[in-house]
Amino acid sequence: MNIQEFPLQRAGADLDHLLEKAKSFDPVVTAVIHPCDALSLAGALKAWDLKLIVPILVGPEKRIRSVADQEGLSLDGVRIVDSEHSHDSAERAVRLVREANAQALMKGALHTDEIMTAVLDKTEGLRTERRMTHVFFMDVPAYPKPLLITDAAINIAPDLLTKADIVQNAIDLGIALGISVPKVAILSAVETVNPRIPSTIEAAALCKMAERGQIIGGIVDGPLAFDNAISLQAAKAKGIISDVAGHADILVAPDLESGNMIAKQLTYLAGAESAGLVLGARVPIILTSRADGIRSRIASSALASLYRASQFK
């Protein structure tokens, strides 16, 4: 793609707009799972300060208070649910949702697998008929609007039906963010159907599913290579006629590995900022990397706020 195709926008502009939009809604009561390090605790408290969430801190109380003391963070007015360890924190946080005492979950200082084990429990978890999937909100200075990238964190090698849920969850989030009809690009290495490349076959099937109403709310096209999805010049050069090519709002990766690489390359090579959310459970799950900074955690809280507001219109 010619870097001059899109004028560079101010870094962080999309995230700033996201935060401002979320402030118009009531804060979401959020069970913060095991906030036992400085970043996860400070991120939750800052999101509270911005009136994005009302945190319930779920973890070993002594450790939480120790981190707060070390970092000079006030816990005045914050509810703490004491737990023994990270697994127990995840289970107690899920229980708060099941008892209608929390409206969202937020990842703290623990592994994603620990959260998902509790969330996916067949009797005590938060399953719905929809597959749980992760969506990255990417603020890329070289792209004129936010990019949603999915799935880069939960489903390792999704089959066709899982990909249908991945697409639908991303469309639902796009609509919650104010995109009236999200444009969805199903990515592969090429833009033509090739039986030797399974992702192209699945892309074609997803497009047909959208035509038949099995996926709703967006415009779905694929297979599209990455350049064709985000560059109108590249699409025109290859003679691609599409409402999505060059205008994508959502990029659907073939698998977790490729999705994760796209998101991290945009972050480290293109100066993108990101937020992340898991959808498909009873409540949104604010899911960030343990290496993510406070701003990413705040932006992810804003995503949860907007998504939850859209579900109760």
Side-chain angles (χ1 to χ4, degrees):
M1 184 185 79
N2 184 340
I3 195 65
Q4 300 303 317
E5 184 171 348
F6 303 121
L8 290 175
Q9 62 176 345
R10 178 178 60 83
D14 290 330
L15 253 63
D16 288 344
H17 179 69
L18 178 72
L19 293 172
E20 285 303 313
K21 192 171 183 178
K23 287 178 183 178
S24 63
F25 296 99
D26 292 335
V28 179
V29 180
T30 302
V32 186
I33 307 171
H34 211 68
C36 295
D37 68 347
L39 273 176
S40 59
L41 182 57
L45 294 177
K46 184 62 177 177
W48 183 35
D49 184 55
L50 293 173
K51 296 181 172 56
L52 298 171
I53 69 170
V54 176
I56 302 173
L57 307 181
V58 186
E61 184 168 357
K62 288 183 179 179
R63 288 183 61 185
I64 292 172
R65 292 194 179 279
S66 175
V67 171
D69 289 342
Q70 292 172 13
E71 300 298 320
L73 301 171
S74 173
L75 297 178
D76 291 345
V78 183
R79 180 183 173 188
I80 299 176
V81 175
D82 191 26
S83 69
E84 297 181 11
H85 44 66
S86 56
H87 291 287
D88 188 37
S89 299
E91 291 170 1
R92 288 175 183 268
V94 167
R95 196 174 307 138
L96 285 170
V97 173
R98 290 181 61 86
E99 294 170 351
N101 291 316
Q103 302 164 327
L105 298 175
M106 175 186 280
K107 178 185 174 183
L110 75 170
H111 291 286
T112 298
D113 286 351
E114 294 178 89
I115 297 175
M116 297 311 295
T117 296
V119 170
L120 290 169
D121 186 271
K122 291 183 179 179
T123 56
E124 300 297 328
L126 303 175
R127 290 171 177 261
T128 69
E129 72 282 356
R130 189 82 63 81
R131 185 70 177 247
M132 294 181 208
T133 68
H134 181 271
V135 184
F136 267 121
F137 175 102
M138 304 295 299
D139 180 340
V140 187
Y143 199 63
K145 56 184 177 179
L147 268 176
L148 302 182
I149 298 175
T150 186
D151 182 335
I154 298 295
N155 294 284
I156 297 172
D159 59 18
L160 179 60
L161 291 179
T162 299
K163 284 188 176 181
D165 281 350
I166 287 172
V167 173
Q168 189 64 68
N169 283 341
I171 289 173
D172 291 349
L173 180 58
I175 292 171
L177 297 178
I179 305 170
S180 57
V181 183
K183 296 179 173 65
V184 183
I186 312 297
L187 297 182
S188 186
V190 295
E191 64 282 349
T192 54
V193 175
N194 185 334
R196 292 176 294 178
I197 306 177
S199 61
T200 67
I201 303 293
E202 292 182 339
L206 290 166
C207 292
K208 181 56 69 175
M209 292 172 78
E211 287 180 17
R212 297 291 169 84
Q214 293 173 266
I215 298 169
I216 60 173
I219 302 172
V220 181
D221 196 9
L224 289 170
F226 181 86
D227 57 344
N228 304 322
I230 55 99
S231 169
L232 191 57
Q233 290 182 4
K236 286 180 177 179
K238 293 191 176 182
I240 299 171
I241 299 173
S242 165
D243 291 330
V244 174
H247 303 287
D249 298 298
I250 298 168
L251 303 180
V252 179
D255 53 33
L256 182 146
E257 291 172 306
S258 54
N260 194 275
M261 290 176 192
I262 292 169
K264 289 182 178 176
Q265 285 165 354
L266 289 174
T267 299
Y268 288 97
L269 296 179
E273 294 187 68
S274 68
L277 207 61
V278 172
L279 305 174
R282 292 191 191 180
V283 297
I285 303 170
I286 300 164
L287 191 69
T288 55
S289 166
R290 284 173 292 168
D292 285 337
I294 290 176
R295 182 168 162 83
S296 179
R297 296 165 193 271
I298 294 169
S300 299
S301 300
L303 278 183
S305 174
L306 292 171
Y307 180 77
R308 176 172 168 76
S310 74
Q311 301 304 297
F312 289 91
K313 282 185 178 179

